[in-house]
Amino acid sequence: MPSDTSSSISGDDHSDQFIEDQLASVTLAEYNDEPSGSANRQANGVVGGSVNQSAQLEIEERVQSSSVEAEEVGQVRGPAEHAVVWGRTVSELEMDGSSSPGSSGYAGERGSSSATTGSAIDEVVQQEIEEARNDDTVEGISDSQMSWPPGKQHVDEDDASISWRKRKKHFFILSHSGKPIYSRYGDEHKLAGFSATLQAIISFVENGGDRVKLVRAGKHKVVFLVKGPIYLVCISCTEEPYESLSGQLELIYGQMIVILTKSVNRCFEKNPKFDMTPLLGGTDVVFSSLIRSFNRNPATFLHAYTCLPLSYATRQAAGAILQDVADSGVLFAILMCRHKVISLVGAQKASLHPDDMLLLANFIMSSESFRTSESFSPVCLPRYNPLAFLYAYIHYFDNDTYLILLTTSSDAFYHLKDCRIHIEMVLLKSNVLSEVQRSLLDGGMHVEDLPVDPFPRSGSSPHLGQHRLPTDSTERLREPYLGIGGPAGLWHFIYRSIYLDQYVSSELSSPINSPQQQKRLYRAYQKIYASMHDKAIGPHKTQFRRDENYVLLCWVTQDFELYAAFDPLADKALAIKTCNRVCQWVKDFENEIFLLGASPFSW
Amino acid sequence: MGLSSTDTSNEAIQLCIFDLRRGQNEGQELDKILFFFPAGLPFSKQLSVIGLSEGLITFTRIFSPEAACEVIEAERNSHVFYEAEPDIWMVMVVEKSNDSEPIYRDDALRKVLKEIHSLFVMFHGSIRAMLEKETGGGLIRRHLHSFIMDYLRDFFVGKKLLLPSFHDCLKERGTVQMLTIGREAAIEVQSLVRVLESSAGNTPCYSLILFQDLLDDTINLFAYAVLRLTPHALSSGASSWSYLRKGNTASNVAAESNLAHPSSFSESFYGPTDVPHAGENQYHVVRPLQHDKWSKGKDGYLVTDIWGAEIGTWTYVTPTVWLRQTEERMYLCAYQHRSLTLILLVPVSSILTGEQGVSMVKRQVIENASLKILKVEEKLTKGWGGENAYHVSGYRYLLVDGDRNVSRTSPAAKVATLTKDSLLAMNKVRQEVELEKSRAKLDNSACEKDLEICIRAKNNAWVIARVTRGKELYMVLEKGNETLLYASDAVEKFSNRYCNGAFSLD
């Protein structure tokens, strides 16, 4: 142990300054006639910056509109109409006498509670109970936002605090002049010095004609990503490999583009010292929720999306009505339940990248305001077109299920609203929304249900979870389930279809049933994913990996990728057999777990 | 005669040593630098490398005070760090030919740095101690310069410095290769060791027996022996490592110097504090890694003039080395009979009569042991299977016993038959395992890392790593069939046959 470690950082608050000085003194020595890199850029910026003044305006507008969200729009039509819409929805349900406890009737009630009646209170209570139950059981673990306070935590910390330094995973966004834009922990303004240090490191290496990607120290990795005038940095002591962390930085950058578009670059061309924080004001929740999803949502590293398990007919019904509206000038119509797709339809030739869907869904689910009323918001899809805003009409049918209609036209609100009303009517009539709630309760594929024989069980077209009564599923979770996963010690699997850009993941069950265990498992998957998909030498075909936590088996073919986690003591031969059975099982149920055919982005 | 090389391809690799405790004040930054290769690189660039390194050491300590910066990966270069002694850092910068293709493994490069430092300490003592002896830094700079330049010479192929890359993924620096011998031979060797140790009289003595090239201090001695003392090293030194070749080692040396006269090296290096031009003899720099300096004397002992001659006599000074474990200075005596090399270490403190005493011990040893030596050499030669003795058909492997620092590998010529894809994949797997191991170490986890990785690569080769109870096995099987069970069977067979079942599952 170096004896004067302490001396070099003992002046905790000054250590950033110290590093900067170290780097700066050298920079000065080396570049005598160019006192600083940023001065240079400034000069360039002036040249390039004259082109577009509207960019900043556009973005500022966007910020206003996002903070006020649809209230503005609502005001145009007046709140009365909202009430009417909701009232009708509820009454329709009552008439239908829907017995499904999770039906969409209560959906907007939180938002319009001013009209609460006696029965509505009952409903609200019931809904809360359901929510609580949902949280504890089926989806509670993976749906992170329920279990976490929204927004940033530990704002009082800065780089001098021991607690801040000990956080396992930091994310920073800063500008190329070193101005902080976002920090996962701590107050950005207090981190100005630290941010300048990060900038100094990046530009120091850049001045040497290189680009820094990774610094490793003990358990820590510092990962850098430069996107034009935006620098992103992750400092992590989790075991995630470089490839995963840099992929996460890409997503964070993408999330920023969703909110601002890439035209924010022009602001930096005009003024390198441009302060971006006000533009992102209030979007902390969006970033924190994305960061939490890195270890909870496999879509973040698989670059694929997942569907809510539904009968083929139900999904067809949803798809058909979405197709109707897509034909009327909507670019994309997406019906989602939490982070899972129910159905989605795109206008001709338009294709939607799974990463865009992930970022869009995160943007919507993390912003509380979208839940309370219908909204019309500018959003940018970075993979679709990073330079332009689309406009998203967003509406929650119930607590979990929401509709996104994307258009290129900024004045399509009323048209989209009409579309939504039409869609809602059809969905209710065809029981899609109640089916969705039922699916949420039942969950998808449980490893315990993996058929032992290679062929589907007797009886024509079995359904997922059909053999299990609804009470069954709650009971098995109420009593401590003593099972040890599926056959041959199978604990969990993820199957990704290459052509569909979709994956299906088995439900989390014992022994992977705490958030910590889930996180650990997903990190193990990330590691094996990165190892399989090495840029230079991958993709590998098969990988077997056993450590003290798991046996992981991965199988990559032209059609699919399978990731399976077993008990660390699992027998190799049996595990391989089980993997084959899983693949067969998925194929048997592909009608229910995947969105087939209709999607335009499968080719 | 200077090194007239004009080749600048060496910029692809930089190696520096700096002391964080020096040059703290502005304008004195040069004082930090204890060694820089290539020495001809402008100071501004040297300082730039060191500034970045220092900045990142400080930066990473904010989050990771227990282990500062180990590696910087940039698009074009990797910087590999090694803190050799407290606040004395060695940094190696290697250029990548292609960002996506992992040519180097930072752990393999770090082991080169480690080896340089351990060998240096074995002969010269610690860097810090030398710095304390002469605070100006001239002494240590001169020693490091000649020592490391002599060391690096081994890595030159033509004009290029070839560091361990993915081609060497089935090798492990810093381990000793043991010769597997039959029971009978083992008994002979044991008895020889006893004779050797007793013939040194009352003085405690350590011995090391090497056959051909095969065999914390043992490793260094072994490394040194293989580099400079074995018959192979002696002969290859004569044939292929001609002096002319050394001309390629340094670039931009117009201002620099002549390695044969290290004391004249860049007198302007650190200003007036450094030696004047004529100060040739101010520092006597011993260069144990110099080539072609060892030869076999009439009595069978290897002799060298590296350590100079006794004043007033023609006898060469017996080399001494410093053992870390016992913290003792030892005389290093190497005796050679055909392929057999014996290394005797006798504590300097135990021989009061200097060179005279040493020669007496040497003589005594030979008198007592020569017969045994003949016998052992004969047995070993008979039992030795040649270069390919450790080849296992169908396998390309590396077996490391971390507890004993012993390794065994497929013969290099056999490893060379593997495709580049297989080697790259193995290199990558080794990198992953290194990370897991170092993490487990930092976690101080009581249970040792137990890990099994088995990959069917794009080219259908099986790339396998097994870590269990301090032992590691890496293998590449290029002609295996596609089932995973085939691959695990192959490991199982190998384990049962060659590793006493250490990697077998039951």
Side-chain angles (χ1 to χ4, degrees):
Chain A
M1 194 59 18
S3 61
D4 79 344
T5 304
S6 54
S7 80
S8 57
I9 57 162
S10 61
D12 282 346
D13 318 45
H14 307 295
S15 56
D16 304 340
Q17 193 53 48
F18 176 61
I19 299 161
E20 265 178 87
D21 290 347
Q22 279 172 356
L23 294 171
S25 67
V26 177
T27 318
L28 284 172
E30 194 180 354
Y31 300 92
N32 274 331
D33 34 7
E34 302 170 20
S36 87
S38 61
N40 246 356
R41 283 200 200 90
Q42 200 154 12
N44 293 337
V46 173
V47 179
S50 60
V51 188
N52 194 321
Q53 291 196 316
S54 64
Q56 188 175 354
L57 281 176
E58 207 179 302
I59 290 163
E60 277 165 3
E61 258 171 50
R62 190 252 161 283
V63 168
Q64 279 166 5
S65 66
S66 83
S67 54
V68 197
E69 232 71 88
E71 276 92 318
E72 273 177 85
V73 178
Q75 276 162 11
V76 179
R77 283 215 158 175
E81 185 158 334
H82 276 286
V84 173
V85 173
W86 288 116
R88 191 176 63 206
T89 314
V90 173
S91 64
E92 267 173 11
L93 271 168
E94 280 161 357
M95 280 193 293
D96 287 348
S98 166
S99 59
S100 164
S103 65
S104 61
Y106 331 104
E109 292 295 353
R110 267 180 168 178
S112 56
S113 55
S114 57
T116 307
T117 61
S119 69
I121 290 169
D122 288 348
E123 282 167 355
V124 170
V125 172
Q126 189 182 349
Q127 180 198 354
E128 274 167 6
I129 294 167
E130 266 170 30
E131 264 175 29
R133 196 171 67 200
N134 286 353
D135 287 350
D136 291 342
T137 59
V138 191
E139 279 286 328
I141 297 161
S142 59
D143 198 7
S144 52
Q145 66 194 46
M146 294 298 182
S147 48
W148 288 81
K152 186 145 80 177
Q153 301 157 62
H154 315 293
V155 218
D156 48 324
E157 296 177 345
D158 60 31
D159 56 325
S161 355
I162 297 295
S163 56
W164 186 87
R165 293 175 174 206
K166 287 197 167 156
R167 302 252 162 249
K168 289 213 166 134
K169 206 167 167 189
H170 288 274
F171 284 99
F172 306 96
I173 311 178
L174 51 137
S175 75
H176 63 168
S177 67
K179 276 209 162 50
I181 296 171
Y182 170 81
S183 166
R184 184 184 187 190
Y185 300 112
D187 179 348
E188 285 86 6
H189 298 290
K190 285 195 208 155
L191 292 171
F194 183 79
S195 193
T197 305
L198 292 175
Q199 187 271 341
I201 293 170
I202 295 168
S203 59
F204 190 85
V205 177
E206 227 164 55
N207 287 338
D210 208 344
R211 187 170 268 201
V212 63
K213 292 162 56 188
L214 165 73
V215 172
R216 213 180 59 230
K219 290 193 223 171
H220 281 79
K221 291 191 185 83
V222 188
V223 177
F224 299 86
L225 181 67
V226 172
K227 291 285 187 183
I230 309 286
Y231 293 171
L232 299 104
V233 181
C234 171
I235 301 178
S236 156
C237 64
T238 62
E239 281 180 77
E240 293 158 282
Y242 164 78
E243 292 79 5
S244 306
L245 296 173
S246 104
Q248 293 169 9
L249 289 178
E250 291 274 0
L251 285 174
I252 290 181
Y253 177 70
Q255 191 72 74
M256 203 189 83
I257 298 302
V258 166
I259 301 169
L260 295 177
T261 79
K262 216 172 165 180
S263 46
V264 73
N265 288 4
R266 288 189 219 133
C267 303
F268 288 102
E269 282 164 19
K270 271 197 328 201
N271 171 17
K273 305 241 153 148
F274 176 68
D275 181 6
M276 228 175 94
T277 31
L279 286 188
L280 287 170
T283 55
D284 275 352
V285 276
V286 181
F287 291 103
S288 354
S289 139
L290 177 68
I291 290 166
R292 279 197 300 274
S293 75
F294 291 150
N295 298 122
R296 291 179 168 80
N297 184 354
T300 56
F301 60 90
L302 290 174
H303 307 290
Y305 67 95
T306 193
C307 290
L308 186 78
L310 281 176
S311 76
Y312 185 69
T314 308
R315 204 185 306 281
Q316 282 288 92
I321 178 62
L322 294 185
Q323 187 64 58
D324 273 1
V325 305
D327 293 341
S328 74
V330 173
L331 191 59
F332 295 109
I334 314 167
L335 183 62
M336 297 197 65
C337 178
R338 297 183 187 167
H339 65 275
K340 297 185 176 181
V341 170
I342 296 167
S343 187
L344 85 96
V345 164
Q348 263 190 332
K349 287 187 183 166
S351 74
L352 194 50
H353 193 280
D355 285 355
D356 280 351
M357 294 175 62
L358 169 81
L359 296 172
L360 184 60
N362 178 63
F363 177 61
I364 293 168
M365 286 196 296
S366 58
S367 317
E368 202 51 41
S369 54
F370 289 126
R371 292 172 184 273
T372 51
S373 61
E374 61 183 342
S375 313
F376 192 62
S377 167
V379 293
C380 169
L381 299 183
R383 300 280 195 147
Y384 183 73
N385 180 358
L387 291 168
F389 275 126
L390 293 174
Y391 297 87
Y393 174 91
I394 299 151
H395 177 83
Y396 271 85
F397 292 125
D398 58 39
N399 226 0
D400 310 300
T401 314
Y402 54 97
L403 175 73
I404 313 166
L405 300 175
L406 288 164
T407 171
T408 50
S409 143
S410 61
D411 50 14
F413 173 75
Y414 298 115
H415 171 60
L416 297 182
K417 187 184 175 75
D418 291 341
C419 289
R420 184 268 297 167
I421 294 168
H422 178 53
I423 292 171
E424 188 167 21
M425 231 161 58
V426 174
L427 291 180
L428 286 171
K429 263 191 201 142
S430 50
N431 281 329
V432 171
L433 295 179
S434 54
E435 284 294 317
V436 165
Q437 286 301 319
R438 206 173 72 93
S439 168
L440 267 184
L441 276 178
D442 287 351
M445 307 184 97
H446 296 260
V447 288
E448 300 86 356
D449 300 339
L450 178 66
V452 180
D453 52 308
F455 303 103
R457 280 146 297 169
S458 57
S460 58
S461 66
H463 290 290
L464 265 184
Q466 189 192 38
H467 61 290
R468 195 192 292 137
L469 296 167
T471 50
D472 196 19
S473 63
T474 45
E475 235 155 61
R476 68 190 289 142
L477 287 154
R478 217 172 276 153
E479 60 184 84
Y481 184 60
L482 298 171
I484 43 151
L490 175 66
W491 284 353
H492 189 262
F493 68 83
I494 298 177
Y495 178 103
R496 175 185 177 214
S497 160
I498 311 262
Y499 295 120
L500 295 176
D501 266 346
Q502 296 172 43
Y503 74 90
V504 62
S505 146
S506 68
E507 296 295 327
L508 292 155
S509 54
S510 174
I512 313 277
N513 45 12
S514 75
Q516 280 73 23
Q517 279 158 332
Q518 185 200 1
K519 196 194 269 188
R520 191 201 283 161
L521 174 66
Y522 283 178
R523 284 184 177 162
Y525 278 146
Q526 282 178 47
K527 210 187 272 181
I528 201 171
Y529 181 91
S531 161
M532 288 298 280
H533 293 270
D534 186 276
K535 252 193 271 162
I537 49 176
H540 297 321
K541 294 182 170 172
T542 320
Q543 179 160 178
F544 174 92
R545 181 180 285 241
R546 184 177 50 77
D547 62 15
E548 56 275 21
N549 298 316
Y550 313 101
V551 156
L552 292 181
L553 252 167
C554 176
W555 187 13
V556 175
T557 72
Q558 284 190 322
D559 305 322
F560 68 86
E561 292 180 4
L562 178 73
Y563 301 84
F566 291 82
D567 186 303
L569 299 173
D571 175 78
K572 225 177 250 175
L574 277 178
I576 294 166
K577 251 185 211 158
T578 307
C579 285
N580 284 320
R581 287 219 307 267
V582 167
C583 291
Q584 185 58 49
W585 195 31
V586 168
K587 281 189 188 110
D588 290 345
F589 286 102
E590 61 180 0
N591 277 339
E592 293 176 42
I593 49 188
F594 293 132
L595 174 63
L596 298 172
S599 71
F601 44 84
S602 51
W603 22 57
Chain B
M1 79 174 219
L3 291 166
S4 53
S5 166
T6 50
D7 178 50
T8 53
S9 68
N10 293 330
E11 274 215 52
I13 286 160
Q14 293 161 9
L15 199 163
C16 60
I17 303 180
F18 55 92
D19 178 4
L20 287 182
R21 297 182 194 166
R22 300 169 65 88
Q24 293 292 339
N25 299 325
E26 217 175 308
Q28 295 179 352
E29 287 86 358
L30 279 175
D31 216 26
K32 290 175 190 172
I33 308 176
L34 303 181
F35 172 80
F36 204 100
F37 171 84
L41 203 67
F43 286 138
S44 64
K45 290 208 169 153
Q46 297 189 15
L47 282 177
S48 160
V49 171
I50 285 162
L52 178 66
S53 307
E54 198 179 350
L56 279 162
I57 288 165
T58 314
F59 176 75
T60 47
R61 277 183 177 154
I62 297 176
F63 297 94
S64 174
E66 70 286 352
C69 193
E70 286 162 11
V71 72
I72 306 175
E73 292 288 353
E75 266 168 24
R76 290 178 41 216
N77 294 290
S78 301
H79 300 233
V80 178
F81 290 65
Y82 174 60
E83 189 175 18
E85 295 170 27
D87 287 327
I88 291 176
W89 287 79
M90 302 173 82
V91 175
M92 187 189 272
V93 186
V94 293
E95 197 174 55
K96 307 173 181 177
S97 56
N98 169 354
D99 179 39
S100 61
E101 212 167 66
I103 300 286
Y104 297 111
R105 190 159 47 84
D106 65 279
D107 193 65
L109 296 180
R110 194 169 299 109
K111 286 203 165 109
V112 172
L113 296 177
K114 216 171 178 168
E115 183 170 274
I116 292 176
H117 180 255
S118 319
L119 287 174
F120 183 87
V121 171
M122 181 168 85
F123 290 109
H124 299 301
S126 76
I127 295 176
R128 180 66 66 203
M130 206 178 273
L131 272 171
E132 277 161 8
K133 204 155 113 195
E134 203 252 31
T135 49
L139 184 68
I140 188 71
R141 285 194 187 106
R142 217 161 288 276
H143 274 87
L144 284 171
H145 183 82
S146 22
F147 190 85
I148 299 175
M149 294 315 285
D150 284 341
Y151 178 89
L152 287 182
R153 203 155 285 147
D154 288 4
F155 290 93
F156 273 93
V157 172
K159 295 188 168 186
K160 277 186 89 178
L161 196 51
L162 280 192
L163 291 170
S165 70
F166 66 91
H167 295 289
D168 307 290
C169 65
L170 289 177
K171 282 183 195 158
E172 183 71 349
R173 189 171 296 273
T175 55
V176 175
Q177 280 99 53
M178 292 289 268
L179 180 69
T180 309
I181 48 181
R183 193 182 145 74
E184 232 178 292
I187 293 169
E188 289 294 340
V189 171
Q190 269 309 317
S191 85
L192 170 61
V193 169
R194 238 171 282 127
V195 171
L196 290 176
E197 287 176 357
S198 62
S199 53
N202 293 327
T203 55
C205 159
Y206 304 93
S207 62
L208 186 67
I209 300 176
L210 291 108
F211 185 75
Q212 289 280 9
D213 282 354
L214 308 168
L215 212 176
D216 292 3
D217 287 318
T218 314
I219 298 166
N220 294 332
L221 276 171
F222 176 72
Y224 181 67
V226 170
L227 284 175
R228 298 290 179 266
L229 300 182
T230 59
H232 184 67
L234 291 181
S235 64
S236 74
S239 62
S240 63
W241 295 101
S242 65
Y243 185 73
L244 281 176
R245 207 167 207 142
K246 295 169 192 166
N248 302 322
T249 48
S251 66
N252 303 333
V253 277
E256 194 194 317
S257 64
N258 180 337
L259 283 176
H261 301 280
S263 55
S264 67
F265 122 84
S266 71
E267 52 265 50
S268 59
F269 198 40
Y270 299 126
T273 59
D274 212 336
V275 278
H277 186 60
E280 188 109 335
N281 295 319
Q282 179 164 346
Y283 303 117
H284 172 67
V285 180
V286 169
R287 296 170 57 197
L289 290 179
Q290 241 178 323
H291 274 276
D292 314 329
K293 285 292 185 180
W294 285 90
S295 57
K296 203 167 152 182
K298 278 189 206 118
D299 56 357
Y301 280 97
L302 302 183
V303 289
T304 179
D305 62 353
I306 289 177
W307 277 262
E310 281 238 291
I311 301 158
T313 72
W314 288 105
T315 30
Y316 295 131
V317 171
T318 305
T320 55
V321 295
W322 191 77
L323 295 189
R324 281 187 175 188
Q325 272 157 317
T326 57
E327 298 190 335
E328 255 180 313
R329 199 152 262 291
M330 312 288 272
Y331 285 112
L332 170 76
C333 309
Y335 177 85
Q336 203 160 74
H337 172 64
R338 297 201 205 181
S339 299
L340 187 73
T341 307
L342 295 176
I343 295 175
L344 294 170
L345 297 176
V346 187
V348 172
S349 58
S350 71
I351 297 178
L352 301 170
T353 47
E355 288 301 327
Q356 221 181 333
V358 176
S359 358
M360 221 173 70
V361 172
K362 279 180 171 178
R363 250 200 324 274
Q364 226 172 328
V365 167
I366 293 312
E367 275 166 20
N368 292 336
S370 60
L371 265 177
K372 283 260 178 227
I373 292 171
L374 286 178
K375 215 167 170 189
V376 165
E377 203 277 338
E378 202 178 301
K379 278 251 154 67
L380 293 179
T381 306
K382 228 189 270 168
W384 193 50
E387 288 290 336
N388 284 340
Y390 298 119
H391 175 53
V392 179
S393 163
Y395 293 84
R396 301 291 181 273
Y397 68 93
L398 162 67
L399 184 60
V400 183
D401 184 338
D403 296 337
R404 298 193 299 147
N405 290 313
V406 169
S407 72
R408 170 180 295 181
T409 71
S410 289
K414 296 288 180 184
V415 173
T417 64
L418 291 175
T419 63
K420 188 180 177 188
D421 282 349
S422 305
L423 290 167
L424 281 170
M426 175 48 89
N427 203 41
K428 187 74 202 287
V429 165
R430 289 208 60 191
Q431 173 96 39
E432 280 183 48
V433 172
E434 292 306 339
L435 280 176
E436 300 269 348
K437 269 167 46 191
S438 73
R439 209 185 162 85
K441 223 189 212 165
L442 285 166
D443 281 339
N444 285 325
S445 57
C447 58
E448 275 187 274
K449 193 77 200 166
D450 199 332
L451 184 67
E452 178 176 3
I453 298 176
C454 200
I455 293 174
R456 173 87 163 168
K458 203 166 56 180
N459 68 349
N460 288 330
W462 284 103
V463 176
I464 298 167
R466 289 288 308 273
V467 178
T468 188
R469 278 158 291 177
K471 292 191 173 61
E472 294 161 43
L473 172 65
Y474 301 91
M475 56 172 63
V476 179
L477 309 171
E478 274 194 337
K479 288 181 189 118
N481 81 26
E482 66 174 331
T483 70
L484 179 64
L485 293 176
Y486 163 87
S488 13
D489 252 20
V491 175
E492 194 89 2
K493 274 183 201 149
F494 186 92
S495 159
N496 289 336
R497 183 114 189 245
Y498 302 98
C499 323
N500 298 321
F503 301 97
S504 307
L505 282 174
D506 316 304

